[in-house]
């Protein structure tokens, strides 16, 4: 069978896509200003000038909309981390890991509500995480794995991946408790220094395990 | 002036104290079963067989009640961590840190909702955290600081405290993302191993910074 000719999007398709993007913009602004708790269907519909039911024509549920916002946040975070390494002169792998971690800290600190929403949305390895979301995570982890692979040339890809996840989780824990000013956290003015010490120490070994 | 004679608690005082303890028991069971979201004044009052307003005679607000539950959780967590070291034969400081971290992982894993409530209750260094809560945290941190002080005898108390908070936050990050099965976390079956590697590597240096 010959391929069907490329179909011009119908006016209805175009309207749907406009509404989808408008809802993501509105939800993004609300999460940034007030956090996940500000996401209510009725308010969003009012701001987007549509019926409440119309939201569910373009997203399966509100989690689907939040996931779309998180996708943008995650992409911006990945770009910030990538740019931090690209902007530095070529350096030792340890220094690269520290540069990326401090970029993560800065992004989280400047976009606290959007960043918290990444982790507050219920989403686990047992759920149906969209392929594009896993691809974004893969890109971020590849940035961390690259200097680790130079540091630990004899270790397997699996070991490098486990260390990538371990260091990501560790830095995440320090940033999370620190930014929230938890009584158990590292004080704000010490976070950068302690992340640097942690990463330098962990990686000054010739093998991972 | 002579001291006032010790006053026998009145019947009213006794009833107040009974209600306070009953409410903590009920709230603790609900948080354990369903998490912080299950704490609603009306339900608690019904279960405790009191008027809704009576709750606020014994606690300033629901956060005060949750704080009391968290106090118990925190105390149990501290005891578990302390017991893990006491139960092991005297060993190297690194091994002690790993033993305590694995006890933390186990406690969190077996009491997930109670443990999450510790971190989900809004509470920062800028708030009026009760003295007894800070004392519990101090005890937990003293357990971590002890082996660190043996590892880094030339470092200041301040450096040891910062490293205590850094390692606590790191292990917390690994446990948190791992137990939630976040797509960015360390897989469950690898958490123990990766915590051990992280702590061994970080602490096999003669100075903190």
């Amino acid at each position: 069978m010959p391929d069907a000719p490329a179909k011009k999007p119908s006016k209805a398709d175009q309207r749907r896509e406009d509404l989808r993007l408008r809802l993501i913009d509105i939800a993004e602004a609300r999460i940034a200003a007030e956090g996940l708790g500000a996401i209510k269907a009725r308010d969003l519909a009012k701001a987007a000038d549509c019926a409440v039911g119309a939201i569910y024509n373009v997203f399966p549920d509100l989690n689907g909309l939040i996931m779309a916002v998180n996708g943008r946040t995650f992409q911006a975070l990945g770009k910030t981390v990538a740019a931090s390494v690209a902007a530095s002169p070529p350096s030792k792998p340890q220094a690269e890991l520290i540069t990326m971690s401090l970029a993560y800290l800065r992004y989280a600190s400047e976009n606290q509500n959007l960043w918290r929403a990444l982790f507050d949305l219920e989403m686990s390895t047992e759920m149906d995480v969209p392929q594009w979301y896993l691809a974004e995570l893969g890109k971020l982890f590849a940035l961390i794995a690259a200097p680790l692979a130079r540091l630990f040339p004899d270790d397997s890809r699996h070991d490098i991946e486990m260390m990538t996840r371990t260091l990501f989780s560790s830095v995440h824990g320090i940033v999370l408790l620190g930014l929230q000013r938890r009584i158990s956290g590292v004080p704000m003015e010490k976070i950068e220094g302690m992340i640097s010490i942690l990463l330098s120490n962990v990686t000054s070994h010739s093998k991972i395990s």
Side-chain angles (χ1 to χ4, degrees), chain A:
Chain A
M1 276 207 319
D3 287 348
K7 229 175 86 187
K8 218 184 127 203
S10 70
K11 273 196 178 164
D13 286 346
Q14 189 58 54
R15 271 200 303 270
R16 255 178 74 91
E17 183 57 15
D18 287 348
L19 177 60
R20 208 180 67 83
L21 291 176
R22 205 156 71 241
L23 283 167
I24 300 176
D25 286 340
I26 294 165
E28 185 178 28
R30 302 223 158 171
I31 293 174
E34 299 172 61
L36 266 193
I39 297 301
K40 305 229 159 59
R42 196 179 298 266
D43 298 345
L44 293 169
K46 202 173 161 194
D49 197 20
C50 72
V52 172
I55 297 176
Y56 304 104
N57 288 332
V58 288
F59 292 103
D61 51 30
L62 286 184
N63 270 5
L65 169 56
I66 294 168
M67 181 76 90
V69 174
N70 280 357
R72 283 190 185 174
T73 306
F74 206 4
Q75 207 164 18
L77 171 63
K79 275 190 188 160
T80 303
V81 171
S84 73
V85 182
S88 315
S91 59
K92 289 192 179 166
Q94 271 103 341
E96 261 177 43
L97 289 170
I98 293 169
T99 299
M100 288 193 278
S101 296
L102 300 188
Y104 183 79
L105 167 65
R106 207 167 47 246
Y107 184 88
S109 159
E110 287 167 5
N111 302 276
Q112 286 203 44
N113 284 332
L114 287 168
W115 170 71
R116 283 301 303 267
L118 285 179
F119 295 91
D120 285 346
L121 182 66
E122 198 68 45
M123 191 173 69
S124 78
T125 49
E126 283 134 38
M127 290 168 68
D128 216 4
V129 180
Q131 217 39 55
W132 58 263
Y133 204 95
L134 291 173
E136 283 301 325
L137 183 68
K139 276 196 264 177
L140 180 62
F141 277 6
L143 290 172
I144 306 173
L148 285 177
R150 282 155 60 207
L151 279 166
F152 304 113
D154 297 335
D155 284 286
S156 69
R157 274 186 62 158
H158 178 75
D159 283 348
I160 298 286
E161 195 198 326
M162 289 306 120
M163 187 49 106
T164 297
R165 287 170 176 268
T166 301
L167 294 184
F168 176 80
S169 302
S170 299
V171 170
H172 178 73
I174 297 172
V175 170
L176 181 71
L177 299 185
L179 287 186
Q180 286 186 295
R181 293 178 170 70
R182 299 298 306 192
I183 54 170
S184 50
V186 176
M188 283 292 284
E189 69 277 10
K190 290 278 179 180
I191 299 181
E192 290 200 4
M194 295 313 296
I195 287 177
S196 305
I197 292 171
L198 180 87
L199 291 176
S200 303
N201 285 13
V202 175
T203 55
S204 54
H205 290 260
S206 56
K207 270 183 74 66
I208 282 176
S209 49

